[in-house]
Amino acid sequence: MYAGKARAYTNIALIKYWGKKDERLILPMNSSLSLTLDAFYTETSVSFDETLTEDVFFLDGKKQDLKQTAKISKFLDLIRQKQQLTLFAKVDSQNFVPTAAGLASSASGLAALAGACSEALNLQLTETELSRLARLGSGSACRSIFGGFAEWQKGDSDQTSFAHVIPSDKWEDDLAMLFVLVDDGIKDISSRDGMKRTVETSSFYPGWLENVETDLATAKQAITEKDFNKLGEVTEANGLRMHGTTLAAVPPFTYWSPESLNVMQLVRLARKEGLPCYFTMDAGPNVKILVEKKNLSALKEFLGKHFAEHQLIAAYAGPGIEMIP
Ligand SMILES: O=C(O)C[C@@](O)(CF)CCOP(=O)(O)OP(=O)(O)O
């Protein structure tokens, strides 16, 4: 039996990955940039075991059904193919996220799985190779190999599409991200399905591609200059552009709930009142607010008038993947 375990942290994109050029290899249409956080992570152990007659997948202690297990098997097949391996595996993933739904991300899960497989089979992968492997599980997972700010350079092949750390002189330690949980319980379209429909049908999608590489350059410059407002402005604008593409998809859809729009308005109001903070959203109604650590308590107080304590969750910059002996 070959066993391994890894811990990987979720990341939130400031410049979004939205659209695939290649579905099988998960090659993105554009490069993206994220901040790895400390608050939410996944611990995954994997054991390739000759006594197993099929892959088994446990998530938070519960045995998963065929559909969920099939996704993991698809990833394991890639590993087995690469390693000329025929053994089945038991995968056991534990999401360490606040009870609220909609926070566990595939990014930390698939990154942890890639790390656990690498450990189990003693693949001795470099961080770049690990990032490429994680990418094959879920695009955004390739960024969770790294702590702090990470850029996923889109590349144009399996070899050239991977993430790397963005030098930041630890500026991320001055920042925080406040999650506002407005989960309205609607089963959203998954990011995978949402971006596929958008690429294939949205007349607004070409506009997204026109701007995103410029946004990325602006964000990287803001990090170099430690310019919070510059980073915040491009983060908020890029997220809005991404979500804008969904409105012109066929059929149209949006991840925004009325509560999401309320939070966006409150963020703009906070800024007007002199509290610099900027929002971004992903494939769900929850809103993430980028704020400097020194202003986090003022932001929590400002939002505390509108939301319950448990709806406001703070996160700070987090580390890259950790192998667990
Ligand atoms: O994280 C970002 O850059 C932006 C998003 O979160 C916006 F919703 C997309 C993440 O997509 P992911 O779950 O990685 O898709 P997969 O490759 O189909 O598994």
Side-chain angles (χ1 to χ4, degrees), residues 47-228:
S47 45
F48 290 90
D49 182 340
E50 50 279 347
T51 64
L52 290 173
T53 56
E54 60 181 356
D55 291 329
V56 277
F57 174 36
F58 287 84
L59 178 60
D60 298 332
K62 284 193 288 297
K63 192 163 185 293
Q64 299 298 295
D65 64 17
L66 263 181
K67 186 165 173 266
Q68 291 309 318
T69 308
K71 281 187 200 166
I72 296 289
S73 290
K74 199 162 150 274
F75 180 77
L76 293 172
D77 287 345
L78 287 166
I79 300 266
R80 285 187 276 254
Q81 199 182 22
K82 280 177 191 282
Q83 305 304 317
Q84 279 91 41
L85 198 64
T86 54
L87 295 179
F88 289 107
K90 178 185 173 219
V91 173
D92 197 336
S93 254
Q94 189 78 33
N95 280 324
F96 292 80
V97 293
T99 42
L103 282 183
S105 76
S106 67
S108 58
L110 272 301
L113 178 58
C117 289
S118 168
E119 279 294 280
L121 301 173
N122 196 21
L123 303 183
Q124 310 282 343
L125 299 182
T126 64
E127 286 185 327
T128 296
E129 289 164 333
L130 206 45
S131 181
R132 285 178 37 223
L133 181 62
R135 190 203 76 240
L136 289 168
S138 174
S140 55
C142 79
R143 302 181 310 230
S144 277
I145 302 301
F146 304 97
F149 291 110
E151 174 185 0
W152 173 12
Q153 56 183 54
K154 64 182 177 184
D156 56 8
S157 64
D158 177 36
Q159 289 292 334
T160 57
S161 187
F162 52 83
H164 58 82
V165 166
I166 297 177
S168 59
D169 187 26
K170 299 302 282 170
W171 179 47
E172 64 271 16
D173 292 343
D174 298 343
L175 307 180
M177 194 162 266
L178 186 63
F179 284 65
V180 184
L181 303 188
V182 295
D183 188 7
D184 50 11
I186 300 174
K187 183 78 200 84
D188 284 309
I189 299 173
S190 72
S191 42
R192 186 162 296 189
D193 294 342
M195 66 173 78
K196 183 169 167 53
R197 184 192 305 179
T198 304
V199 170
E200 290 174 352
T201 66
S202 173
S203 57
F204 290 178
Y205 189 71
W208 159 256
L209 287 181
E210 275 163 31
N211 288 282
V212 61
E213 299 294 344
T214 313
D215 289 348
L216 179 67
T218 305
K220 287 165 73 174
Q221 201 184 359
I223 291 168
T224 307
E225 295 162 357
K226 299 185 182 177
D227 183 335
F228 177 72

Side-chain angles (χ1 to χ4, degrees), residues 11-20 23 26 30 32-34 105-107 110 135-143 152 190-193 195 242-243 255 281-284 288:
N11 70 77
I12 296 298
L14 307 181
I15 303 299
K16 304 294 184 188
Y17 149 51
W18 191 242
K20 293 184 180 68
E23 300 269 335
I26 306 196
N30 62 269
S32 59
L33 182 151
S34 63
S105 76
S106 67
L110 272 301
R135 190 203 76 240
L136 289 168
S138 174
S140 55
C142 79
R143 302 181 310 230
W152 173 12
S190 72
S191 42
R192 186 162 296 189
D193 294 342
M195 66 173 78
M242 176 216 129
H243 285 275
Y255 290 111
M281 290 179 62
D282 295 298
K288 295 105 180 187

